[in-house]
Amino acid sequence: MRINSIDHIVLTVHDVNKTCQFYTQVLGMKEITFGEGRKALLFGSQKINLHQKGNELEPKAMHPICGSSDLCLISTNPIEEIKKELDRKQIPTIGGILNRTGAAGPIKSIYIRDPDGNLIEISNYINRSNCIRRM
């Protein structure tokens, strides 16, 4: 077996509407409705499906809980611009701009929390041309 990419992930949330508002207004994702009224957040070629706590779609995680995720999102906007935008939107950041390591090499990251307390890391690759893709 060979896995190539992530298509979607699922977040269990307390309030689907509040979550959609945060991810669309703060992070610029697109809210979509699919299936029988289900909500998701679309960005690039991926999406985040949302499950309302207590009303999760089967099959589901063994112990779905809100606020247990830690996501790293890659942006094309410079991290310094992202920091300024978050400040303008009065979104608290955690720890400033930090050097980290992404799947394809060194990244600069800034951290925030979504309405459920999930840790959201927003990052830029430092030198994308020197990154080695793991396939």
Side-chain angles (χ1 to χ4, degrees):
M1 182 182 308
R2 183 175 171 186
I3 305 299
N4 294 322
S5 63
I6 293 175
D7 179 80
H8 70 276
I9 61 169
V10 176
L11 291 180
T12 301
V13 301
H14 284 106
D15 184 327
V16 170
N17 291 328
K18 188 174 181 180
T19 299
C20 287
Q21 182 180 15
F22 176 85
Y23 281 85
T24 58
Q25 293 181 7
V26 174
L27 298 177
M29 294 182 185
K30 180 181 178 185
E31 177 184 340
I32 61 170
T33 303
F34 68 104
E36 296 178 11
R38 295 181 59 205
K39 294 289 184 179
L41 301 155
L42 187 64
F43 61 102
S45 60
Q46 298 84 38
K47 68 177 180 159
I48 300 172
N49 289 347
L50 302 175
H51 283 186
Q52 179 72 46
K53 178 67 179 159
N55 194 29
E56 298 89 356
L57 184 70
E58 295 290 345
K60 64 183 180 219
M62 183 71 71
H63 306 286
I65 59 173
C66 302
S68 65
S69 293
D70 181 341
L71 309 175
C72 180
L73 306 171
I74 303 300
S75 177
T76 56
N77 301 94
I79 202 73
E80 295 78 9
E81 286 181 16
I82 292 168
K83 170 75 168 105
K84 289 177 186 175
E85 183 176 342
L86 293 169
D87 289 345
R88 275 194 310 274
K89 293 178 178 179
Q90 299 181 333
I91 303 298
T93 59
I94 303 164
I97 297 172
L98 303 169
N99 291 321
R100 296 291 190 242
T101 302
I107 54 178
K108 285 193 175 285
S109 298
I110 194 159
Y111 294 86
I112 61 174
R113 294 207 184 270
D114 76 2
D116 286 294
N118 293 304
L119 185 65
I120 308 299
E121 178 180 0
I122 306 166
S123 304
N124 296 150
Y125 276 96
I126 292 173
N127 188 350
R128 187 68 177 181
S129 63
N130 290 337
C131 295
I132 299 171
R133 295 300 297 168
R134 296 180 185 141
M135 298 291 188

